[in-house]
Amino acid sequence: MLYHGCYMSNIKLDEVTRVHFIGVGGIGMSALARFFLHEGKVVSGSDRASSAITEALSSEGVEFTPKQSPDNITDDIDLVVYTEGVNEKTEGYGELMAAREKEIETINYFTALGLVVNPYYLIAVAGTHGKTTTTAMLADVLEEASFDPSVVVGSLRTKTRSNYRAGKSKYFVVEACEYKRDFLRLEPDILVITNIELDHVDYYQDLADVQNAFRTLAKKVPADGFIIADVSNPNVKPVLEGVEATVIDYRTFVDLGISLHQPGLHNRLNAAAASATASTLEIEKAVSDKALENFAGTWRRFEYKGEVNGIKVYDDYAHHPTEIAAAIGGSKELYPDKSLMVVFQSHTYTRTSELFDDFVTALAKADRVILLPIYAAREENVSGVSSGKLAEAIMEIGGQAKVVVNPEEGVELAKKITPENGVIITMGAGDMTSKVAEGLVNK
């Protein structure tokens, strides 16, 4: 039923009474769980363990189980939504098989997302980098303009501490992920493309393969719709050739006069993309500017966590070399005279191996780097890449890098070798937030 991101489903959501989520603690899954709760459905979910997100869901009314088991699948469930990460090797697979044995409809997160958002006037924000921040910025802009949008964002908005907003209008803003061409389940009326680079190298063969996916999505935007993009970007140009929608160059909306709380050129470009989108909806510039200047950010996007021994600690999801370089650049813009320590955990062996030289160049821009073991996610290490090899390569070009074996050691080393009044940014996936960033400021 799945082929290059396409899935046909005859599910009628108004006939669904009870929904179960396998992997409900995920950032996207939890947003959809909140949507179904708001629609009056009975919502249950499981995950491998409790988390701050599942605790919040429980308080909101989700029947959460901190254990994945076939016993969680009861006969009264109408629909099961499962996370992309479920496979034969994961605990959630037993639940998925139990649902199919009971002939309960099962769909993955992205199919469910398409079913939810496609009936609306859909604003989809895609791109290799910046889509979370741009989506959240757009949410603030449309709120300020009284458009009352519904929103699904791949993080927690700082001002609401939620990844979902329930609106009452026809507008829905959604973050659109390119992994496995999943965003092709969406039918956008406005498509924002922040940028395009090679990523998700465990799925995409090369940059041309990534561009092909984006081009397929761009061609789905109708003639009376809009595509917001950087038309001068050589990676984006081929994607836009021959599209029916009106193309708007967001670079023309860059405004250096706007006072943003988030540092860095990359955030000015995100703001420009949001402004350009607002213009297609005939929102006055003064309104969008006000929202952008008040934008408080999102969870794990250069998020300030606190201080330890006079050292400021930030946390960032940066897991691609371009994102790492942007976060480091933003920090140096904000604190030009402070020493910068980066504590980094790379995400997947495949990405680390394929983009190895780019990681080295980006990380070497920090004054010091501490590297945790690579976060394997769904992979086995067939390339032999390691954090040790990253550290060696960083030092070969003049950087300073050390390797630790676990988050606890990373916390202690960061406190020990970061100069007084310096800055620490924890970056990457895995345990970076709970065990390193919060470990630093809570001890």
Side-chain angles (χ1 to χ4, degrees):
M1 289 190 294
L2 288 171
Y3 178 73
H4 286 302
C6 299
Y7 181 99
M8 300 303 294
S9 176
N10 296 317
I11 298 169
K12 296 181 179 179
L13 295 183
D14 58 352
E15 297 178 359
V16 171
T17 301
R18 186 180 184 99
V19 188
H20 180 76
F21 287 80
I22 303 173
V24 73
I27 197 69
M29 293 281 280
S30 56
L32 275 190
R34 289 182 165 113
F35 167 85
F36 281 106
L37 269 181
H38 183 265
E39 292 295 303
K41 314 297 184 184
V42 178
V43 179
S44 60
S46 66
D47 219 312
R48 292 173 293 179
S50 298
S51 66
I53 289 177
T54 61
E55 289 172 6
L57 291 176
S58 295
S59 70
E60 294 167 28
V62 173
E63 300 171 10
F64 174 68
T65 304
K67 181 181 180 181
Q68 294 183 316
S69 166
D71 294 339
N72 294 332
I73 305 300
T74 54
D75 293 334
D76 58 344
I77 295 173
D78 302 306
L79 175 64
V80 169
V81 181
Y82 59 94
T83 181
E84 186 85 38
V86 172
N87 57 51
E88 293 87 345
K89 298 180 181 179
T90 62
E91 295 176 6
Y93 191 69
E95 279 187 52
L96 182 59
M97 291 301 99
R100 289 176 176 172
E101 287 172 6
K102 291 177 180 288
E103 297 185 346
I104 298 171
E105 185 76 33
T106 62
I107 56 177
N108 75 7
Y109 163 75
F110 294 98
T111 299
L113 182 65
L115 288 173
V116 165
V117 304
N118 285 337
Y120 290 78
Y121 187 91
L122 182 58
I123 303 170
V125 182
T128 309
H129 321 295
K131 53 185 175 287
T132 295
T133 297
T134 304
T135 303
M137 283 178 167
L138 269 173
D140 279 22
V141 169
L142 267 63
E143 283 178 348
E144 185 68 30
S146 300
F147 272 50
D148 195 15
S150 297
V151 182
V152 167
V153 61
S155 184
L156 304 178
R157 297 168 67 199
T158 297
K159 80 174 189 178
T160 65
R161 302 310 298 174
S162 181
N163 49 6
Y164 173 66
R165 183 187 193 277
K168 297 183 177 65
S169 73
K170 69 177 183 178
Y171 298 98
F172 210 122
V173 184
V174 64
E175 183 173 333
C177 180
E178 73 273 17
Y179 184 54
K180 293 186 177 179
R181 290 177 164 79
D182 286 320
F183 57 15
L184 296 186
R185 293 173 176 85
L186 304 177
E187 302 289 340
D189 297 281
I190 297 177
L191 172 63
V192 181
I193 302 175
T194 57
N195 44 63
I196 298 174
E197 284 194 75
L198 176 61
D199 196 7
H200 302 297
V201 291
D202 58 327
Y203 175 77
Y204 287 108
Q205 297 177 8
D206 51 27
L207 176 60
D209 197 18
V210 179
Q211 290 171 312
N212 176 266
F214 274 88
R215 180 165 174 75
T216 303
L217 180 63
K219 292 177 73 173
K220 295 177 75 173
V221 182
D224 60 351
F226 298 90
I227 299 175
I228 315 299
D230 175 2
V231 301
S232 63
N233 187 316
N235 290 353
V236 176
K237 269 186 175 182
V239 169
L240 303 176
E241 292 177 2
V243 297
E244 294 185 358
T246 300
V247 176
I248 306 293
D249 183 2
Y250 74 68
R251 281 269 183 175
T252 64
F253 287 80
V254 173
D255 186 349
L256 299 180
I258 296 178
S259 179
L260 300 176
H261 292 289
Q262 297 73 34
L265 174 60
H266 60 297
N267 280 313
R268 292 209 170 272
L269 294 175
N270 294 336
S275 294
T277 306
S279 75
T280 68
L281 299 172
E282 300 182 351
I283 295 173
E284 293 182 3
K285 186 177 186 300
V287 174
S288 59
D289 285 357
K290 179 181 178 182
L292 292 169
E293 289 186 336
N294 291 330
F295 178 67
T298 60
W299 177 60
R300 297 218 68 206
R301 270 60 177 187
F302 203 72
E303 180 187 16
Y304 179 66
K305 303 299 289 187
E307 289 192 10
V308 56
N309 302 333
I311 301 165
K312 295 184 181 296
V313 179
Y314 289 83
D315 186 41
D316 199 292
Y317 186 57
H319 57 285
H320 184 283
T322 299
E323 296 164 351
I324 293 167
I328 291 173
S331 175
K332 288 186 175 293
E333 175 185 310
L334 197 60
Y335 302 110
D337 300 323
K338 293 183 181 291
S339 177
L340 174 62
M341 163 71 77
V342 168
V343 186
F344 178 64
Q345 182 174 37
S346 195
H347 186 261
T348 74
Y349 300 116
T350 311
R351 180 186 281 115
T352 311
S353 177
E354 290 293 324
L355 305 177
F356 186 89
D357 291 342
D358 295 330
F359 274 113
V360 171
T361 301
L363 289 166
K365 296 179 184 297
D367 296 298
R368 293 176 176 84
V369 181
I370 294 173
L371 298 168
L372 272 68
I374 296 170
Y375 184 68
R378 51 195 172 267
E379 296 183 345
E380 295 182 5
N381 189 1
V382 297
S383 67
V385 71
S386 68
S387 293
K389 291 181 178 179
L390 271 178
E392 291 174 4
I394 290 168
M395 290 186 287
E396 284 177 2
I397 62 171
Q400 296 188 42
K402 293 182 179 294
V403 178
V404 295
V405 298
N406 56 48
E408 292 75 21
E409 186 180 341
V411 168
E412 294 307 315
L413 183 60
K415 289 194 296 183
K416 180 180 179 180
I417 67 175
T418 303
E420 186 177 353
N421 296 322
V423 176
I424 297 174
I425 308 179
T426 60
M427 291 185 187
D431 301 319
M432 295 306 295
T433 301
S434 62
K435 293 188 177 180
V436 183
E438 292 172 4
L440 281 164
V441 299
N442 292 335
K443 288 191 177 183

